[in-house]
Amino acid sequence: MASMSTSRGRVLVGASIILLALNLRVAVGSVGVVMSSLQEDLGLSPTAAGLLTTLPMVCFAVFGLATDSIVRRIGLHRTVVLALIAITIGLALRAFADGPALFFAMSFLALSGAALGNVSLPPLVKVHFPDRIALMSALFGAALMGSGTISSLVSVPVSQGPGGWRLAVGMWAGLAAITLLPWLRLIGHDVKTKIGGAGGLPASAVIRSPLTWAMLLCFGAQSGGAYAQFGWFAQILADGGVDATTAGLMLSLLTAVGMPMTLALPWLIRRWGQTPLLPLCFGGVTTMGWLGVLVAPSQAPAAWAVLLGLGGGAFTWVLAMIGYRTRTAAGTSTLSAMTQGPGYLVGAISPFFTGLLHDLTGSWNASLIMLACAGVIIAITGTYIARSGPLESRI
């Protein structure tokens, strides 16, 4: 592989990072669309199917927190290799499952690899593209979004062919195996980040940093809102008088708006810099979108979907800020783990509480007010992040 300091080397590394991101949602996206077939063939109960849909967020939270320790022990590139090996084996072997136990075990393995990859992306960008953080964050953010969408779209027709659901969920192991090849070459240029010790960052001090908590709350509020959208947005619109077909299309519109918003992030950061304007806008349109659904769900559902889709730009913005608010790969790795691990846990429980509030109150009003408040949290914590100095200067 070309030297990573050359233009060709940087292009190859950049492509490898984008390929990595493309693998991090296929274990999720390829399952939901074939769930009925899985239940029938593997004998999955409704409870087991529910656990399977929750498993990704649990893995992202638990293994997200563990990623920094793994990076310190074996290096950043080796962590990526480990992640891709886990994804490859997990995706391949769960296609041969003859019962729930093996399918759950291999899904757990693939998702744990995806969790390692999630947290590794910001420090990879910090190490290899410190001068292009916004651009690379936007590209891998778009790849993450595309990963789930593409795997869902492609898995449906494949599952209806001769290979059935097994080919639909197993074929993505090929993508992971291909992605693994350039990363095996990059092991020779590995990077270890040391937390603690001489020149390192004490983990206890990082945990106490207000910047860490602002990052965690901002990412958690965005993640929680996003997964509530995926789980309940269409149903909320339908209960508000929108026909079921249109409600489903509104969810698709919301998701579609997120892609160009993410790709526009480098220009937005270049235009307004690292000022509070962007998080205030992301939080503001998120709150406006949920309040619109609360007040007039059937009058302008497309407008609410667009507003919420634009608010989703907070996801990539926070990931970019992980790189901007740290000086070293060590700081980026630690902040990424402490932001994404707990943040995804919030994402896992948010749809549950959204539904619980509905069941307790008999309407969606309390749930929608809670989700609108998430936009306020994004605005407040994002403003603090935008005005903050580097993590290393605050501990």
Side-chain angles (χ1 to χ4, degrees):
M1 180 171 286
S3 171
M4 289 185 291
S5 62
T6 65
S7 296
R8 179 170 176 266
R10 279 165 62 89
V11 169
L12 290 172
V13 174
S16 299
I17 291 173
I18 303 309
L19 275 174
L20 170 64
L22 281 172
N23 284 273
L24 301 183
R25 296 295 181 272
V26 296
V28 181
S30 61
V31 165
V33 293
V34 298
M35 184 62 76
S36 59
S37 298
L38 285 174
Q39 289 183 268
E40 181 179 348
D41 284 4
L42 300 181
L44 289 179
S45 66
T47 300
L51 288 174
L52 189 59
T53 61
T54 306
L55 188 61
M57 294 302 100
V58 174
C59 288
F60 289 171
V62 174
F63 286 93
L65 281 170
T67 301
D68 185 55
S69 296
I70 296 172
V71 170
R72 283 186 277 128
R73 285 182 171 84
I74 68 175
L76 187 55
H77 296 161
R78 288 183 177 85
T79 300
V80 173
V81 168
L82 178 64
L84 287 167
I85 290 173
I87 293 171
T88 303
I89 294 174
L91 292 178
L93 293 187
R94 75 178 183 176
F96 296 95
D98 56 1
L102 181 60
F103 194 88
F104 267 88
M106 291 301 100
S107 294
F108 182 84
L109 179 62
L111 291 166
S112 65
L116 297 181
N118 286 336
V119 177
S120 296
L121 286 170
L124 283 169
V125 171
K126 184 70 173 180
V127 168
H128 297 294
F129 298 93
D131 56 336
R132 295 288 187 273
I133 290 175
L135 174 61
M136 290 304 300
S137 297
L139 290 175
F140 79 61
L144 280 171
M145 294 179 186
S147 175
T149 302
I150 293 169
S151 59
S152 297
L153 290 175
V154 174
S155 294
V156 171
V158 172
S159 68
Q160 295 169 350
W165 69 263
R166 295 182 184 275
L167 179 60
V169 302
M171 66 181 182
W172 301 104
L175 175 63
I178 292 171
T179 304
L180 180 60
L181 298 178
W183 286 104
L184 290 172
R185 298 288 300 275
L186 281 166
I187 284 179
H189 303 276
D190 211 348
V191 178
K192 291 187 179 180
T193 63
K194 297 181 179 179
I195 310 301
L201 297 176
S204 59
V206 174
I207 293 173
R208 292 195 300 269
S209 170
L211 176 60
T212 301
W213 284 96
M215 285 281 192
L216 189 162
L217 290 172
C218 191
F219 187 87
Q222 193 286 324
S223 177
Y227 284 98
Q229 290 167 12
F230 298 147
W232 293 111
F233 183 67
Q235 184 62 52
I236 292 171
L237 289 181
D239 289 348
V242 180
D243 69 85
T245 301
T246 302
L249 289 174
M250 291 304 99
L251 179 57
S252 299
L253 174 62
L254 187 158
T255 305
V257 169
M259 188 72 74
M261 181 71 247
T262 293
L263 292 174
L265 189 65
W267 179 83
L268 293 172
I269 291 179
R270 226 174 21 248
R271 177 68 177 81
W272 285 288
Q274 298 163 48
T275 68
L277 181 60
L278 289 179
L280 285 171
C281 287
F282 292 140
V285 296
T286 297
T287 297
M288 289 168 58
W290 286 122
L291 291 179
V293 175
L294 172 66
V295 175
S298 61
Q299 276 70 24
W304 316 141
V306 169
L307 287 172
L308 291 171
L310 292 174
F315 171 73
T316 308
W317 182 83
V318 175
L319 294 180
M321 287 301 107
I322 293 174
Y324 279 119
R325 290 296 171 264
T326 50
R327 289 175 177 159
T328 63
T332 308
S333 179
T334 307
L335 191 56
S336 181
M338 293 185 179
T339 296
Q340 295 193 62
Y344 277 120
L345 181 59
V346 174
I349 63 177
S350 181
F352 169 77
F353 280 106
T354 301
L356 178 63
L357 284 173
H358 173 265
D359 291 342
L360 291 175
T361 64
S363 78
W364 291 108
N365 292 352
S367 300
L368 290 168
I369 291 171
M370 177 190 73
L371 293 168
C373 288
V376 176
I377 293 173
I378 291 170
I380 294 172
T381 56
T383 296
Y384 182 88
I385 293 166
R387 291 175 172 168
S388 179
L391 174 69
E392 292 86 346
S393 69
R394 305 177 68 87
I395 60 176

